[in-house]
Amino acid sequence: MKKQDKYLVTYCEILLTSTITTILVVAFLIVEKEMLLGAIIGLGILGFFIAKGRGIPHKIDQVYREHPCVFYLTIVSPVIIAIVFCRHEHFALFMIASVAIYATACLGLTLQLGYTGLTNFAGAAFLGVGGYTVAVLTNQSIPNVLVILLGGLMAAIIGSLLILPVLRTRGHYAALVTIAFALLFKTFLEINDTLGGPQGLKIASFKFFGLDFNEPLLGSSFYLSYVIAALLLMLVVFIITRLIEKSWLGLHLDAVRLDETVASCFGINIAAWKILAFTLGNFFIGLAGGLYAQMLGHIAPTNFTFADSLILISIVILGGIGNPLGVIPASFLIIVLPEKLQFIQEYRFLLFSILVILVLVYRPEGLLKRGLRSFYRTWGRERKLEN
Amino acid sequence: MDFSLLDQHIINGLVLGVIYAMVAVGFTLFFGVLNVIKFSHGDVLMAGSFAALIASLFLSQLGEFPTWLNLCISLLFAISIMATLGTLIAQHLVLPLRGAPPLNTLLITLMLGLAIREAVRLFYPNGSNPKPFPRLLPENSWIIGTMEIRQDTAIIIVGGLLAILILNLAIRKTRLGLSIRAVAQDPETARLMGINFKRIVLGTFALGSGLAALAGVANGLYYHEIIFDRGLFLGVIGFSAAVVGGLGSLLGAIIGGFLFAFLQTIGAIWFSVPAYKDVFAFVVIIMIMAWRPTGLLSEINSDRV
Amino acid sequence: MKTSLLQVEGLTVRFGGLTALSNLDFKLGEGDLLGLIGPNGSGKTTCFNAITGLYKKNSGSVLLRNKEITHSSPQNIYRNGITRTFQRLRLAIGLSVFDNLVIGDAMHLNTSIYFNVFRRSNLRADIKNRLEQAEEILAFFNPKLIDNIYQPIGKLSMIDRRRIEVCRALISKPSVLLLDEPSAGMTHEETRDFMTDLMEIKIKTPKLGVILIEHEMNVIERVTDRCIVLSYGKKIAEGDYRDVSTNKDVRAAYLGED
């Protein structure tokens, strides 16, 4: 086969994969009958194995590296089409926004756990810090966008209170610090009356330059504005995470994670890099928490339990530890699946904990393994061209 | 300061100390033989208290048993079930992953804890709510001077201390204990000396988990109620106690347990809002980790280059 | 008289009751290749760990070009120009050859967030320069390694990994290089090739001072100008290989004679 023909076939395959995935995802979001949902899941799994058999994930990876326009065509445009298609479906839009928000938080965790190797088992607590900051500040006369930024900032600041023990401990001991913080945070919320106690707080609607997010946007569901805001937030955080990974910064973070002794023998200031990753990660998680609180309109301590922190960690593991792109399908799986299949909703923590144990035992790098670092698009290609 | 209240605080602190010490001893044992922290330990404890509850309710369905017999059977049932569970966990999740990165073991045991917690919540009828634990101990009080102490409390303290003491003796005097210490010192040499490594590890996990079940029952008997997420709290506190005492040291774990209970009691007196007791405990954990990252009684943690 | 590079005086390291290194003195001049030998557990690696700041020194001093670095952090000691390799290879297996090499020159990388996130075209130019730099140093050791520059370390053979580790230590152009038993896990032929490379480095960078920990005596005989013998943390002999190998204390330490 000629080289051009081969490319054409690859493009067709990618386009087909993208179309089928979009249709399945949209159908999954809209359909309510459990029989049908089961059929969609079955089709999805079948499609995944067929695609894997034909080596499509690998091809997609290659083509995306060479031609980012294909990336926009096959990922960004289906998302827009899906949103337009679902514009009247409150629940579907709510799900999309939730996935984007959880993915944003998990990008923060990727920075901490995936790149730097810092265990943070208080993800939901930092989500809560962002959420409660927003809840307390929205009713003041501060612009809403600024309030969400303050939520992120607050998470970073509260996180810096933990910096000293996090820096001084490793492994199990470091885990203990963040677990203790997660439990502390929830217990504190439950008994603190000014923060609403177990009942939580109500939050006024999000306003952006006179645009009220709780009013229907352009005759669609009012969740549409939140979906757009959440996707934009996710995109910005994703791009920043990616840029960090593909630069000297990411290399330093990896060096700190992989071998602290070697890193210090080559002049790397371990504490400084850990502080950067921990603080920036918490900032991202706080931003996500702020927007999440805005969207929910009401938050309570039960939104931010230790089990939720473990769910965030599960997303990072399933997506492939340190693989920012993997976080998005993993969030979809973990957030949407139990919401749609009501009979597993109650059992979700149990099911996901078992799933994560199985993944860790049989596929320790996660479902979508993180690839080698490339610093820019044509990375690793120059040499092959010369030959 | 009301002195009778102070007495109550001291007694309460002692009970907490005994329970914490029992949990901490488990952590220290596992760490000693395998260098792992089993984060699901607290949930094994909680499951143990539920096992005892089921056995006790089942017995009272069968007919009139003397309470002491009911207690003994329930206790034995809980201990044996949890020892089995501990062995299974060690055999299928901890031992096969010895070569894996420590982070994976950590995540697996955390997730396992969540799974146990959720299984109890979901499969025990109405498991999300606190469950009353039968009062199986005599509730009369003894008056010693100005101090009033209830018999159930005294039995818990004495029983717990006795259990720790027996375990301590067992580790020091018996063949199994000798093997456990040998493995903890140097697994390779122990293996060369003909000690069955796997059996020792499984035995240690059975021992530690059985002790956790005992701690769970003690917790239930003391508070008269149990709830599915209490194990997480006790596990974190027990781990902290073991860390404070220096992981791997049996005596350290016991001291750590009592020290922790002492600090928490001080916290309860200080804030006079009992609800803040747990918040205070966790703040103390974080502060101790910042001050002495590997415990007060220090553990050597050198990186071989 | 050669200019003195590294000067170690009365260096003592204790772990609890155990004295791992006691009162060690030695000097390393520019262009010296000093062998450090001794039985297992005699304190050779401890000496490296103490010089590079990983272990605290109980007493004694370390001077680099007459500058006191005794109590500096590993980071500062590296910046002053001492780099090392490790007895058991410590490369990042999951990272590419390029990543591993560039880490060796971490002190010269621009790590400002502004530069890395917002000045991508400048960063890209910087990365291209680094690629050339890495290829240059690889070409010196083994031109075939250049083809593997984008490959993960895990795909390389043992000797190539050793070479990468030495490249990582050399890429920042240090003034002192500490090699911790580079021949461990290599065949005789591989060791010979490696030592030939080492001699070439010496010729290309005549001012570089090297300390080499080695078990194989024929290697020591072939490449070093001078060697120090350690036993139970003490220096028991110093001189060229012929003197040392006939020394009575040295024979006793190695063969257990008294």
Side-chain angles (χ1 to χ4, degrees):
Chain A
M1 210 181 332
K2 269 190 289 180
K3 200 178 172 190
Q4 271 176 334
D5 290 350
K6 218 169 119 192
Y7 265 110
L8 199 65
V9 171
T10 311
Y11 283 147
C12 287
E13 278 176 334
I14 291 175
L15 208 61
L16 197 65
T17 316
S18 154
T19 318
I20 293 175
T21 315
T22 316
I23 292 172
L24 285 178
V25 167
V26 171
F28 190 75
L29 283 170
I30 293 179
V31 166
E32 275 165 19
K33 277 221 179 71
E34 278 172 357
M35 285 288 282
L36 272 176
L37 287 169
I40 294 171
I41 294 173
L43 277 176
I45 294 172
L46 188 72
F48 174 76
F49 280 109
I50 293 174
K52 212 173 166 201
R54 296 185 57 96
I56 288 178
H58 181 68
K59 285 180 193 167
I60 289 178
D61 185 52
Q62 274 197 329
V63 172
Y64 281 179
R65 278 176 178 221
E66 280 173 57
H67 307 283
C69 53
V70 181
F71 174 82
Y72 296 120
L73 192 72
T74 55
I75 292 201
V76 178
S77 60
V79 169
I80 293 170
I81 293 170
I83 292 170
V84 172
F85 195 79
C86 298
R87 67 187 179 282
H88 297 298
E89 306 277 338
H90 292 312
F91 187 69
L93 290 178
F94 176 75
M95 282 291 100
I96 296 175
S98 303
V99 167
I101 287 169
Y102 266 80
T104 309
C106 290
L107 288 171
L109 281 179
T110 298
L111 211 55
Q112 299 172 338
L113 178 74
Y115 296 163
T116 323
L118 287 169
T119 46
N120 181 358
F121 292 107
F126 289 110
L127 213 58
V129 172
Y132 270 87
T133 310
V134 166
V136 170
L137 292 181
T138 332
N139 308 326
Q140 322 289 333
S141 56
I142 307 172
N144 279 111
V145 179
L146 197 64
V147 167
I148 290 189
L149 275 178
L150 285 174
L153 214 59
M154 198 62 192
I157 291 168
I158 301 265
S160 61
L161 294 179
L162 293 182
I163 273 291
L164 190 64
V166 164
L167 284 184
R168 294 194 56 172
T169 52
R170 274 189 229 171
H172 301 114
Y173 302 102
L176 176 65
V177 172
T178 48
I179 293 172
F181 178 70
L183 297 179
L184 181 157
F185 182 76
K186 197 200 161 218
T187 321
F188 176 77
L189 289 181
E190 273 175 349
I191 53 183
N192 190 302
D193 290 330
T194 46
L195 292 175
Q199 269 71 47
L201 293 171
K202 262 182 86 74
I203 300 157
S205 71
F206 188 68
K207 290 194 188 62
F208 184 67
F209 293 115
L211 177 76
D212 190 332
F213 269 42
N214 284 14
E215 297 293 322
L217 177 73
L218 307 172
S220 336
S221 159
F222 64 88
Y223 277 121
L224 189 58
S225 338
Y226 285 111
V227 167
I228 295 168
L231 285 175
L232 281 179
L233 178 67
M234 181 180 83
L235 194 68
V236 170
V237 170
F238 181 82
I239 290 171
I240 294 175
T241 312
R242 259 312 213 209
L243 289 180
I244 287 176
E245 185 197 354
K246 295 175 161 201
S247 70
W248 299 140
L249 304 176
L251 183 64
H252 279 74
L253 296 178
D254 276 339
V256 169
R257 179 185 81 247
L258 290 165
D259 195 329
E260 288 189 16
T261 306
V262 168
S264 53
C265 280
F266 288 101
I268 294 172
N269 185 343
I270 290 161
W273 290 101
K274 283 188 175 173
I275 292 173
L276 174 76
F278 195 65
T279 312
L280 193 60
N282 288 337
F283 178 68
F284 290 162
I285 300 173
L287 287 180
L291 190 60
Y292 194 46
Q294 281 287 1
M295 186 175 74
L296 291 178
H298 175 261
I299 50 170
T302 46
N303 294 91
F304 310 109
T305 62
F306 181 57
D308 291 300
S309 296
L310 289 180
I311 283 290
L312 287 173
I313 290 280
S314 306
I315 294 176
V316 174
I317 293 169
L318 290 180
I321 301 172
N323 178 5
L325 206 53
V327 154
I328 297 164
S331 311
F332 187 84
L333 183 75
I334 288 205
I335 305 303
V336 181
L337 204 63
E339 292 289 341
K340 290 301 289 191
L341 300 178
Q342 280 298 324
F343 63 97
I344 66 166
Q345 168 75 354
E346 186 66 8
Y347 299 89
R348 66 185 193 282
F349 290 133
L350 182 62
L351 287 175
F352 289 139
S353 55
I354 293 170
L355 178 66
V356 170
I357 291 173
L358 291 176
V359 166
L360 283 170
V361 171
Y362 295 105
R363 239 189 113 84
E365 327 81 0
L367 290 181
L368 302 164
K369 193 183 166 201
R370 177 184 175 188
L372 277 179
R373 179 202 328 283
S374 73
F375 285 91
Y376 41 83
R377 238 179 341 96
T378 53
W379 180 250
R381 224 157 285 278
E382 292 114 333
R383 182 144 295 281
K384 277 179 197 157
L385 290 177
E386 283 165 26
N387 291 349
Chain B
M1 176 101 229
D2 187 347
F3 275 101
S4 71
L5 200 63
L6 184 66
D7 290 345
Q8 288 316 305
H9 276 305
I10 290 173
I11 292 168
N12 186 40
L14 278 176
V15 177
L16 287 181
V18 167
I19 295 174
Y20 294 166
M22 282 194 273
V23 187
V25 163
F27 275 108
T28 242
L29 275 178
F30 305 149
F31 187 81
V33 292
L34 263 185
N35 264 322
V36 295
I37 296 301
K38 188 168 141 264
F39 271 101
S40 53
H41 193 53
D43 299 292
V44 169
L45 177 155
M46 175 275 304
S49 61
F50 271 88
L53 175 63
I54 292 170
S56 163
L57 290 178
F58 181 70
L59 285 178
S60 42
Q61 289 284 314
L62 280 184
E64 281 295 310
F65 280 93
T67 43
W68 65 267
L69 189 62
N70 187 325
L71 176 65
C72 285
I73 295 176
S74 312
L75 199 55
L76 275 179
F77 179 73
I79 290 176
S80 49
I81 292 279
M82 287 312 123
T84 317
L85 181 65
T87 321
L88 286 175
I89 292 172
Q91 189 163 16
H92 294 290
L93 285 178
V94 182
L95 272 178
L97 289 161
R98 278 218 314 146
L103 178 67
N104 287 24
T105 321
L106 175 80
L107 290 169
I108 285 175
T109 57
L110 267 170
M111 289 296 167
L112 181 70
L114 179 63
I116 297 175
R117 212 148 54 232
E118 284 295 305
V120 169
R121 186 177 71 88
L122 292 167
F123 300 128
Y124 194 86
N126 201 4
S128 308
N129 298 325
K131 296 280 150 222
F133 199 84
R135 295 160 185 251
L136 297 171
L137 290 173
E139 296 194 307
N140 307 330
S141 294
W142 286 313
I143 311 271
I144 306 161
T146 57
M147 202 159 123
E148 185 188 344
I149 182 163
R150 283 163 50 136
Q151 288 177 0
D152 54 353
T153 315
I155 293 173
I156 291 171
I157 295 174
V158 173
L161 286 176
L162 218 59
I164 295 173
L165 197 72
I166 290 170
L167 183 91
N168 212 341
L169 279 177
I171 296 241
R172 285 190 196 290
K173 303 282 182 207
T174 64
R175 252 188 87 79
L176 174 74
L178 187 68
S179 314
I180 290 178
R181 278 188 295 148
V183 171
Q185 282 274 319
D186 185 348
E188 283 312 310
T189 313
R191 216 183 305 221
L192 289 175
M193 307 271 283
I195 289 172
N196 185 335
F197 177 73
K198 193 177 160 194
R199 223 172 58 201
I200 295 307
V201 169
L202 296 186
T204 314
F205 272 75
L207 208 61
S209 306
L211 197 65
L214 186 64
V217 174
N219 186 56
L221 287 172
Y222 185 64
Y223 289 105
H224 308 304
E225 88 176 10
I226 52 179
I227 183 161
F228 76 100
D229 63 359
R230 189 69 199 161
L232 178 63
F233 276 59
L234 283 173
V236 170
I237 291 175
F239 179 33
S240 318
V243 169
V244 166
L247 270 176
S249 147
L250 215 55
L251 189 67
I254 297 163
I255 295 174
F258 280 99
L259 190 68
F260 213 90
F262 171 73
L263 285 174
Q264 210 179 5
T265 311
I266 299 256
I269 297 172
W270 191 295
F271 287 107
S272 68
V273 185
Y276 274 91
K277 187 182 72 177
D278 286 331
V279 174
F280 180 75
F282 294 126
V283 171
V284 168
I285 293 177
I286 295 174
M287 276 163 52
I288 287 178
M289 296 311 288
W291 176 45
R292 278 290 181 87
T294 52
L296 294 178
L297 306 179
S298 134
E299 169 226 13
I300 302 136
N301 192 2
S302 69
D303 181 19
R304 267 192 69 96
V305 183
Chain C
M1 183 69 198
K2 284 184 252 182
T3 324
S4 159
L5 260 183
L6 188 69
Q7 197 172 342
V8 173
E9 275 167 17
L11 189 62
T12 303
V13 176
R14 287 191 204 97
F15 299 121
L18 179 83
T19 305
L21 207 57
S22 116
N23 216 9
L24 180 68
D25 297 303
F26 69 84
K27 279 182 186 167
L28 183 77
E30 273 183 354
D32 279 0
L33 206 166
L34 176 69
L36 194 57
I37 59 179
N40 278 328
S42 58
K44 305 181 297 284
T45 298
T46 306
C47 172
F48 276 13
N49 288 345
I51 291 175
T52 50
L54 291 175
Y55 289 166
K56 286 220 163 59
K57 294 113 189 148
N58 292 79
S59 61
S61 66
V62 181
L63 301 173
L64 181 71
R65 293 211 160 95
N66 293 321
K67 188 182 164 199
E68 169 92 35
I69 56 162
T70 315
H71 299 293
S72 302
S73 64
Q75 284 86 351
N76 275 331
I77 289 170
Y78 159 78
R79 283 194 195 97
N80 279 310
I82 300 183
T83 59
R84 67 174 293 179
T85 68
F86 296 86
Q87 185 176 1
R88 278 177 287 170
L89 278 166
R90 291 186 88 150
L91 292 164
I93 300 288
L95 297 188
S96 68
V97 170
F98 175 73
D99 289 357
N100 272 285
L101 288 180
V102 169
I103 276 299
D105 206 14
M107 68 172 153
H108 292 124
L109 295 178
N110 184 343
T111 53
S112 89
I113 296 180
Y114 178 72
F115 174 79
N116 276 278
V117 175
F118 299 107
R119 284 272 160 266
R120 294 299 282 193
S121 51
N122 295 8
L123 175 70
R124 196 165 160 164
D126 189 21
I127 290 168
K128 289 233 161 107
N129 287 337
R130 295 288 165 182
L131 261 173
E132 278 169 23
Q133 183 192 0
E135 285 178 6
E136 195 182 313
I137 198 156
L138 287 175
F140 175 71
F141 268 89
N142 184 353
K144 278 186 188 154
L145 282 175
I146 298 178
D147 292 333
N148 290 324
I149 195 161
Y150 301 110
Q151 296 288 324
I153 288 289
K155 290 200 171 165
L156 300 187
S157 66
M158 193 51 96
I159 180 167
D160 282 343
R161 293 187 198 185
R162 284 278 177 209
R163 286 179 173 135
I164 302 290
E165 216 190 9
V166 177
C167 290
R168 178 175 72 181
L170 283 173
I171 199 165
S172 60
K173 303 199 165 55
S175 44
V176 175
L177 172 66
L178 309 178
L179 294 173
D180 195 346
E181 220 176 304
S183 70
M186 281 195 200
T187 63
H188 276 288
E189 288 71 38
E190 285 176 336
T191 309
R192 203 181 52 218
D193 291 349
F194 185 85
M195 291 304 158
T196 313
D197 291 345
L198 182 62
M199 298 313 283
E200 257 185 75
I201 295 173
K202 290 292 303 162
I203 294 163
K204 288 218 174 175
T205 48
K207 287 193 170 177
L208 177 73
V210 181
I211 306 180
L212 173 69
I213 292 179
E214 192 46 72
H215 266 303
E216 293 199 30
M217 286 308 150
N218 54 345
V219 171
I220 289 288
E221 184 176 9
R222 194 182 129 209
V223 301
T224 61
D225 318 316
R226 185 163 56 99
C227 56
I228 288 174
V229 188
L230 292 181
S231 173
Y232 295 106
K234 287 198 181 73
K235 180 166 88 177
I236 55 171
E238 180 172 357
D240 70 17
Y241 177 76
R242 201 126 34 90
D243 295 345
V244 164
S245 60
T246 52
N247 183 305
K248 200 166 135 267
D249 292 338
V250 176
R251 298 187 78 87
Y254 267 92
L255 302 170
E257 294 164 2
D258 41 355

